Amino acid sequence: MKILVCIKQVPDMESKFKVNAAGNWFDETDLAWRMNEYDEYAVEQAVQLKEQNPDAELTVLCIGPERVKETMKKALAMGCDRGYHIADNDSHLKDPFAIASLIAGYAKDQSFDLIFTGMQSQDRGSAQVGVLVAEILGIPSLTTLVEFSYADGTINAKRELEGGTKAKVSCATPALVTCQLGLNTPRYPTLPNIMKAKKKELLSVPVEELNPPALLIETLQVAPPEKKGGGLILEGDPAELADQLIKILKEKTTALA
Amino acid sequence: MKILLVAEYRDGQLLGTSSELINFATSMGAESAMFLVGSENKLPSYNGRIYLADSGQAGEFNPDGHKQLLLEVIAKEQPQMVVLPHSSYGWDLAPRVALALKAAQISEVVEVRDGHLVVPACNAKLRRQLKPVTDNCVVTLQGGAFTPSEEPSGTPEVIKVEATAAGAVQFHGYEEAAATGVDLSKADIIVSAGRGIGKPENLEIIENLAKALKGEYGASRPVVDAEWADQSRQVGTTGQTVSPKLYVACGISGAIQHLAGMKKSEFVLAINTDKDAPIGEIADVLAVADLKQLVPILTEKLNAL
Ligand SMILES: Cc1cc2nc3c(=O)[nH]c(=O)nc-3n(C[C@H](O)[C@H](O)[C@H](O)COP(=O)(O)OP(=O)(O)OC[C@H]3O[C@@H](n4cnc5c(N)ncnc54)[C@H](O)[C@@H]3O)c2cc1C
Ligand SMILES: Cc1cc2nc3c(=O)[nH]c(=O)nc-3n(C[C@H](O)[C@H](O)[C@H](O)COP(=O)(O)OP(=O)(O)OC[C@H]3O[C@@H](n4cnc5c(N)ncnc54)[C@H](O)[C@@H]3O)c2cc1C
């Protein structure tokens, strides 16, 4: 059995974002990078599937600049067997179709039985890449999964819908699934596994060799949202803050009445 | 400009997003038609053509079948833009249609500005203005971003379409969320814990503040996913929708899916170390502080009142 998991490296969402000079992306200085949260669930599910099928081979793929290798090493330490890095310093300027085309271009001759992606990325969140990869490859895809099981060439899964309802779905492999938060409990890599991961294969291929397609979307502007004002921002010593808050709650709400 | 709107239907009901789609078409000043896999008995109020496939026949969740039907309608109507809700139905179907049309897809549009589509990035800390380079495009709309001030009216002209394609995905019915635990929608005061509590032991700090205010405690999704709090405590699109007199958000960033569940609260107090956290956009008061310091002091002072 062959399994692929696609991961994206994203900035920590608690960062302060400044728009870059070109006005088409954020300034990367001082940002901390991590694995897209949704992809942690994808890696965990792929590793669990591999553990159930000891002959399985699990590849992790990531498109991005040199720094994304750090995030790939985390996936290797969680249990992926090998890494395939598409080196692209301009990956932030690619649209979901370009990213999906690169992934599908790699996957098409590899006969993966199962491909895992996140449901969406935390920074951009278009929720397109997974479905596009499956459609380009002509295989079925199941999205937004909160439960997953696999046996004898069939996936049984639950999709999450609004309001907490779930839809029970199934399909045959080869197939692609997109993983939602809460699908499982992603493991923390142990120190011995982090050491082992350093010896695993991590192949890096320059994007230029792979003929990325032309972009379908043009970014006109990136900017912080306009502050709608309204809210009062309070800072300072916690004890003083607490007194201020109690005063406000008394004046503005019936909570303390 | 001509827009094809894709409405949603689930488990015997037309979903409310259809009025947001219609309002979007109006705000674009565009002519529109609609596509729906649903039922004749549950049509939206709409002054236009609806291409209707019967969900009994086409399958309620059948991505391949719905894609085929939609492509046939697109071939007839020749719209420049196909618009879906950014929902579990829309984000599943949209990329399938976009690829077939070789069209750009712009996801989760929140605003139209100077005729261009605006989408959020980085948990709403940034916004991008985008332009499709392709002639046609597929668009999904963020829930609530285009809610009309008045419900649309009118009776649609129905054109029936028939499904043929079986699909590669089988649908085996729904599973409802278990109706156990607390009913937060009845609470007047809710104090919610977010990932900012850091570890499960700190949930007690939040519970104690909720008690001091004689309210209930709630949680954001990561707290529930980590099993630090029961599912019934989750506020948001995939949890409870609440509208208490006071909502205190502790260590919650304010992701759109969380806001959707609590933005109707009368008064929102946020406690967060990040001054730029998007929760600040809807909070009446944002106290920039470490909840581990501020919340216990606040609780103590409230108990002493
Ligand atoms: C501020 C900002 C500016 C941007 N500017 C531009 C721009 O100018 N033009 C433009 O076209 N795009 C731009 N982007 C978009 C960016 O490059 C997208 O991240 C990219 O198109 C992928 O789409 P997504 O992240 O929405 O993927 P989604 O469809 O939300 O991701 C779903 C899944 O796909 C997989 N995946 C996504 N990306 C990768 C990857 N790199 N490697 C491996 N797997 C991956 C992961 O499994 C992920 O969970 C910008 C984004 C931001 C935040
Ligand atoms: C389809 C879908 C449905 C979803 N449904 C829901 C839903 O129903 N409900 C929901 O909540 N989410 C939902 N989500 C997830 C949502 O997108 C966010 O990931 C989630 O709401 C983030 O939770 P959070 O704010 O607790 O965590 P984070 O976004 O990680 O924010 C933590 C916050 O805590 C602050 N903080 C950290 N330390 C401290 C401290 N010591 N003191 C004070 N503040 C601190 C940080 O500054 C940050 O703002 C859904 C997502 C998807 C894709």
Side-chain angles (χ1 to χ4, degrees):
Chain A
M1 170 173 227
K2 285 182 78 177
I3 314 167
L4 176 68
V5 58
C6 304
I7 62 169
K8 179 176 181 180
Q9 191 191 50
V10 296
D12 192 317
M13 291 305 132
E14 284 167 35
S15 316
K16 203 168 174 64
F17 291 98
K18 279 175 286 189
V19 178
N20 68 4
N24 61 3
W25 176 246
F26 42 76
D27 188 345
E28 291 197 358
T29 27
D30 302 333
L31 291 182
W33 299 89
R34 47 164 296 168
M35 190 187 302
N36 178 32
E37 195 182 351
Y38 298 81
D39 301 348
E40 291 180 359
Y41 294 93
V43 171
E44 176 62 33
Q45 204 60 51
V47 171
Q48 286 185 16
L49 182 62
K50 178 185 130 77
E51 287 168 346
Q52 274 170 32
N53 300 273
D55 66 322
E57 273 174 51
L58 171 53
T59 305
V60 56
L61 178 152
C62 184
I63 304 165
E66 192 62 22
R67 61 169 154 74
V68 308
K69 283 188 176 165
E70 274 316 303
T71 299
M72 297 184 75
K73 282 183 193 147
K74 177 173 181 193
L76 293 171
M78 285 172 78
C80 296
D81 294 312
R82 70 171 63 86
Y84 183 79
H85 170 221
I86 300 182
D88 184 357
N89 286 331
D90 293 330
S91 62
H92 64 282
L93 298 176
K94 301 252 180 320
D95 56 24
F97 172 69
I99 297 284
S101 302
L102 288 168
I103 297 173
Y106 166 71
K108 74 176 186 313
D109 305 320
Q110 302 274 338
S111 45
F112 289 110
D113 298 282
L114 251 155
I115 303 178
F116 291 87
T117 74
M119 183 243 137
Q120 63 174 22
S121 64
Q122 281 177 282
D123 58 352
R124 172 68 188 84
S126 54
Q128 296 181 29
V129 171
V131 183
L132 287 175
V133 169
E135 292 286 309
I136 297 171
L137 294 173
I139 60 174
S141 56
L142 301 174
T143 62
T144 334
L145 300 191
V146 284
E147 271 184 62
F148 171 92
S149 71
Y150 168 83
D152 306 324
T154 302
I155 299 168
N156 272 294
K158 289 182 187 155
R159 297 189 70 220
E160 187 181 52
L161 312 177
E162 289 69 25
T165 306
K166 295 167 190 166
K168 292 180 271 187
V169 291
S170 65
C171 76
T173 55
L176 180 146
V177 299
T178 83
C179 304
Q180 164 66 321
L181 306 173
L183 172 63
N184 50 43
T185 308
R187 69 193 67 191
Y188 290 103
T190 59
L191 194 59
N193 285 341
I194 294 173
M195 299 313 286
K196 258 193 254 163
K198 293 198 166 128
K199 299 201 188 80
K200 290 183 178 173
E201 175 188 315
L202 207 176
L203 189 69
S204 201
V205 180
V207 71
E208 295 76 22
E209 290 177 14
L210 303 171
N211 292 319
L215 296 185
L216 306 182
I217 301 175
E218 182 187 341
T219 302
L220 300 173
Q221 191 200 47
V222 176
E226 278 155 34
K227 291 269 171 241
K228 298 215 178 72
L232 179 67
I233 297 183
L234 299 177
E235 288 175 273
D237 167 67
E240 282 166 28
L241 272 178
D243 289 331
Q244 278 176 291
L245 291 178
I246 290 173
K247 188 160 173 279
I248 292 171
L249 292 181
K250 276 186 183 155
E251 282 167 8
K252 301 274 170 69
T253 77
T254 51
L256 304 182
Chain B
M1 156 109 89
K2 189 169 182 185
I3 298 186
L4 183 66
L5 307 171
V6 182
E8 298 177 87
Y9 175 91
R10 183 187 306 152
D11 212 5
Q13 298 301 325
L14 176 79
L15 302 191
T17 41
S18 62
S19 62
E20 299 177 29
L21 297 170
I22 296 167
N23 187 38
F24 172 80
T26 313
S27 69
M28 292 289 285
E31 183 196 335
S32 72
M34 196 180 275
F35 169 77
L36 171 68
V37 181
S39 154
E40 271 190 294
N41 305 319
K42 301 273 177 185
L43 294 173
S45 299
Y46 174 55
N47 260 326
R49 283 186 299 287
I50 290 192
Y51 291 86
L52 177 74
D54 182 66
S55 77
Q57 194 224 353
E60 196 156 305
F61 182 72
N62 173 7
D64 299 326
H66 290 204
K67 176 179 81 174
Q68 278 317 321
L69 280 167
L70 184 49
L71 289 174
E72 285 164 29
V73 172
I74 291 168
K76 265 185 229 150
E77 284 284 328
Q78 301 280 326
Q80 281 87 48
M81 197 184 269
V82 180
V83 183
L84 303 92
H86 194 68
S87 64
S88 57
Y89 180 71
W91 66 60
D92 188 274
L93 185 56
R96 303 177 197 267
V97 176
L99 189 81
L101 296 173
K102 297 191 171 56
Q105 181 187 329
I106 297 185
S107 302
E108 211 185 353
V109 169
V110 290
E111 187 190 340
V112 180
R113 178 174 289 200
D114 309 327
H116 296 300
L117 303 175
V118 179
V119 301
C122 299
N123 201 7
K125 285 185 172 180
L126 292 172
R127 289 196 163 192
R128 304 165 62 209
Q129 237 185 74
L130 301 176
K131 192 176 134 187
V133 179
T134 51
D135 294 340
N136 304 319
C137 68
V138 176
V139 166
T140 63
L141 303 183
Q142 186 179 81
F146 293 92
T147 306
S149 48
E150 248 176 80
E151 282 302 307
S153 59
T155 309
E157 173 200 345
V158 176
I159 302 170
K160 292 204 175 157
V161 287
E162 299 250 326
T164 44
V169 172
Q170 282 80 46
F171 170 59
H172 309 287
Y174 298 106
E175 184 183 289
E176 296 304 327
T180 55
V182 282
D183 183 358
L184 286 182
S185 65
K186 297 211 168 70
D188 272 344
I189 295 172
I190 299 173
V191 183
S192 283
R195 179 151 39 202
I197 64 170
K199 51 182 184 194
E201 296 76 39
N202 288 339
L203 187 63
E204 208 185 336
I205 307 179
I206 308 300
E207 280 188 74
N208 288 342
L209 177 59
K211 272 189 216 138
L213 286 165
K214 300 185 188 60
E216 279 291 346
Y217 77 93
S220 70
R221 178 164 180 150
V223 173
V224 171
D225 282 344
E227 296 176 5
W228 300 349
D230 185 66
Q231 164 75 47
S232 65
R233 305 255 171 203
Q234 184 183 316
V235 173
T237 39
T238 47
Q240 303 277 319
T241 303
V242 300
S243 49
K245 296 204 171 83
L246 172 64
Y247 189 88
V248 187
C250 307
I252 294 179
S253 64
I256 177 68
Q257 295 90 353
H258 189 82
L259 300 185
M262 47 66 72
K263 65 181 177 201
K264 297 216 173 89
S265 305
E266 275 173 39
F267 194 90
V268 176
L269 164 62
I271 299 173
N272 201 305
T273 40
D274 180 2
K275 195 175 170 181
D276 295 326
I279 188 84
E281 274 298 298
I282 67 147
D284 295 278
V285 177
L286 169 62
V288 184
D290 185 337
L291 69 89
K292 297 192 288 298
Q293 293 176 347
L294 176 58
V295 176
I297 298 179
L298 181 61
T299 307
E300 203 181 301
K301 288 185 185 264
L302 284 167
N303 285 335
L305 283 184

